[in-house]
Amino acid sequence: MSDVRHVLVLPDRDAAEEVAAELGDRFGVIEEPQLVRDALAGEDDAEDAQWLVVVEDPSGRLDSLALDAFAAEYEGWLEAP
């Protein structure tokens, strides 16, 4: 099975940091998720940036529906692959 990468889209940095911190407890994610600032097209204001939490899932064991529901608790979502 090839490596799976999940991308959670969050509304701001605080939410992204909380999600990244919670992933280990909630889903047993061992590897540190990567936080990426994703400026919205045409937006110059840093406040209008979304944040991505990139989770490597080499064994493909994480449940996409559960991740999407988890992100929704922070007003985010799981990006479709």
Side-chain angles (χ1 to χ4, degrees):
M1 174 179 254
S2 64
D3 287 0
V4 177
R5 175 179 287 151
H6 302 282
V7 179
L8 303 171
V9 182
L10 285 305
D12 56 46
R13 183 179 188 136
D14 288 343
E17 289 176 346
E18 284 184 46
V19 165
E22 185 74 18
L23 278 166
D25 292 339
R26 184 87 66 104
F27 294 97
V29 172
I30 297 168
E31 190 173 321
E32 185 74 23
Q34 180 182 358
L35 298 181
V36 181
R37 181 179 174 274
D38 183 33
L40 299 176
E43 296 291 343
D44 294 328
D45 187 354
E47 297 302 313
D48 289 329
Q50 292 176 323
W51 282 78
L52 308 179
V53 178
V54 181
V55 183
E56 300 295 335
D57 184 17
S59 59
R61 66 174 186 76
L62 296 174
D63 180 348
S64 296
L65 292 176
L67 286 171
D68 189 46
F70 174 58
E73 294 175 24
Y74 295 87
E75 299 179 13
W77 64 89
L78 175 66
E79 191 69 26

